[in-house]
Amino acid sequence: MITDQFGRTHNYLRISLTDNCNLRCFYCMPEENYDFTPHSKLMQADEIDTIARLFVQHGVNKIRLTGGEPFVRKDASKIIRNLGKLPVQLTCTTNGIRIDDMLPEIIQSNFHSINISLDTLQKEKFLKITRRDYFDRVLRNIDLLLQHNIKTKINVVAMKEINDDEISDFIAFTKDHPVEMRFIEFMPFSGNRWTSNQVMTQKDILDIIREKYDFIPQPMGFHDTAKQFSINGHKGSFSIISTMSEPFCSGCNRIRLTADGKLKNCLFSKKETDLLTPLRNGEDILPIIESAIWSKAKTQGGQLNEQFEKINASIIQNRSMINIGG
């Protein structure tokens, strides 16, 4: 097992396939005319397979594909088929636009679950947030996943004055749809114009929900990031990822690999470790991985203040969200 200096074991690998995306969400992508990484500088399909197998040999049993938008990559099908052969729980985070195109690969590779990023249930607001008109297709593809009994989660970045007026609407969606609605606190990244007064905290979200619903907290696993709740009579459930107001670093088991082959031992770490260059040079990258994970900070990449109201986002050294891979 790959461990850090605080005794945390790391069995969950998140692999970004690309920093490209067919949406332009303001909190994820710094600008409309974003310069995407050239394909030659991305990990190639066989390199992703090689690195993933090495991680699996050393204890990783869950792999999540991220982006950008992972399904816009031209060789995504090949990558998925390769990873589907590994003894891991394979999952993915996607904006949902190309689910219909990728459904055969999703079924063949036996995805454990699919997370759909969707920050509004209003078509006009979807266009405002994403700067693209794909709302109807995303909703159809959520239904498509449910029709095929694929476990579906919906990721909602909760933001004041953006979608805080829709919290109850998202909960109402779970009454007849067997999805897990996941509310995520707004986090600071390069170029996303984060301010603390935009953050909808776990308390804020629960206060809104309890005005209309009685909910029941569910047990949490040690490595869980989402605090889960159920509502009697609802086919679905909801959860909250309280990264800013109530961090959960003590149980962290996650490793992130960017599309250009850099290992990030924390979402908020300013330091990255290049795996792709030594791999292409024929070097043994396992010691490099072990050293990078061992040096992981105790909390939030060593950059954030646990009192999020006091965070100065302008001095944080990190990539944009789309360039990290979530």
Side-chain angles (χ1 to χ4, degrees):
M1 300 291 290
I2 302 171
T3 60
D4 66 13
Q5 60 187 313
F6 302 101
R8 295 173 292 199
T9 59
H10 292 71
N11 65 327
Y12 179 9
L13 175 64
R14 302 171 68 103
I15 304 175
S16 174
L17 300 189
T18 178
D19 62 349
N20 206 333
C21 189
N22 42 12
L23 296 180
R24 296 293 184 273
C25 302
F26 69 88
Y27 63 82
C28 180
M29 186 175 291
E31 55 196 33
E32 175 74 31
N33 297 316
Y34 180 81
D35 291 326
F36 299 111
T37 304
H39 184 73
S40 62
K41 293 186 178 181
L42 299 177
M43 295 183 293
Q44 302 303 296
D46 61 332
E47 294 168 335
I48 292 173
D49 187 50
T50 297
I51 295 174
R53 288 179 182 276
L54 180 62
F55 274 105
V56 171
Q57 290 169 10
H58 291 84
V60 165
N61 57 19
K62 179 178 180 179
I63 292 178
R64 176 177 298 279
L65 303 181
T66 68
E69 169 48 46
F71 291 155
V72 301
R73 183 160 164 159
K74 293 181 179 179
D75 57 354
S77 295
K78 179 181 179 182
I79 295 169
I80 290 169
R81 287 194 299 268
N82 287 343
L83 297 179
K85 298 174 184 176
L86 300 179
V88 297
Q89 183 184 100
L90 186 61
T91 64
C92 179
T93 297
T94 170
N95 59 32
I97 294 170
R98 297 203 65 223
I99 289 291
D100 45 359
D101 295 331
M102 300 297 295
L103 189 64
E105 285 78 8
I106 291 171
I107 294 173
Q108 178 185 348
S109 300
N110 195 30
F111 272 73
H112 176 265
S113 62
I114 299 285
N115 287 31
I116 306 290
S117 298
L118 180 65
D119 298 320
T120 180
L121 294 174
Q122 299 174 13
K123 186 172 182 176
E124 290 184 1
K125 190 183 292 184
F126 181 93
L127 180 60
K128 180 180 178 181
I129 292 174
T130 68
R131 294 176 271 190
R132 296 294 185 270
D133 187 15
Y134 286 115
F135 179 75
D136 293 334
R137 185 173 178 181
V138 172
L139 286 190
R140 287 197 303 269
N141 281 335
I142 290 173
D143 287 337
L144 186 62
L145 289 174
L146 297 178
Q147 289 166 19
H148 286 82
N149 296 314
I150 297 171
K151 186 176 182 180
T152 304
K153 304 177 183 181
I154 298 177
N155 289 351
V156 182
V157 178
M159 296 166 282
K160 290 181 180 177
E161 298 184 1
I162 299 293
N163 57 4
D164 54 341
D165 60 333
E166 293 189 70
I167 300 297
S168 293
D169 295 336
F170 280 112
I171 298 299
F173 190 86
T174 68
K175 180 172 178 55
D176 299 315
H177 297 82
V179 301
E180 179 185 330
M181 196 67 67
R182 294 157 55 93
F183 298 105
I184 303 171
E185 293 181 350
F186 185 33
M187 294 175 278
F189 294 99
S190 177
N192 73 347
R193 301 184 294 278
W194 181 92
T195 58
S196 62
N197 59 8
Q198 291 176 289
V199 176
M200 287 283 293
T201 67
Q202 174 175 267
K203 181 181 184 303
D204 294 334
I205 294 166
L206 291 178
D207 284 347
I208 292 173
I209 295 172
R210 67 167 47 95
E211 290 177 2
K212 291 187 176 181
Y213 299 96
D214 294 322
F215 50 82
I216 305 166
Q218 300 300 304
M220 283 187 68
F222 180 67
H223 297 303
D224 289 347
T225 59
K227 301 175 182 70
Q228 298 186 347
F229 304 85
S230 63
I231 299 175
N232 287 333
H234 283 226
K235 293 181 179 180
S237 61
F238 76 93
S239 60
I240 300 174
I241 300 177
S242 57
T243 308
M244 304 308 298
S245 65
E246 297 184 32
F248 34 77
C249 300
S250 62
C252 184
N253 63 340
R254 291 169 295 286
I255 305 167
R256 287 176 167 82
L257 191 59
T258 65
D260 57 352
K262 306 298 191 301
L263 186 153
K264 286 181 69 72
N265 60 22
C266 175
L267 180 60
F268 297 111
S269 64
K270 60 182 176 182
K271 183 179 178 181
E272 303 176 349
T273 303
D274 184 8
L275 298 186
L276 186 56
T277 301
L279 179 72
R280 290 178 174 177
N281 290 337
E283 299 176 34
D284 180 6
I285 63 172
L286 179 60
I288 301 173
I289 293 169
E290 291 175 330
S291 176
I293 298 302
W294 179 260
S295 65
K296 184 173 186 172
K298 187 174 183 179
T299 61
Q300 296 178 312
Q303 290 208 85
L304 303 191
N305 188 318
E306 289 192 6
Q307 293 180 293
F308 74 91
E309 299 91 345
K310 298 182 180 180
I311 293 173
N312 181 355
S314 65
I315 65 173
I316 294 175
Q317 298 178 46
N318 206 353
R319 302 192 189 200
S320 61
M321 187 65 167
I322 193 171
N323 207 247
I324 297 172

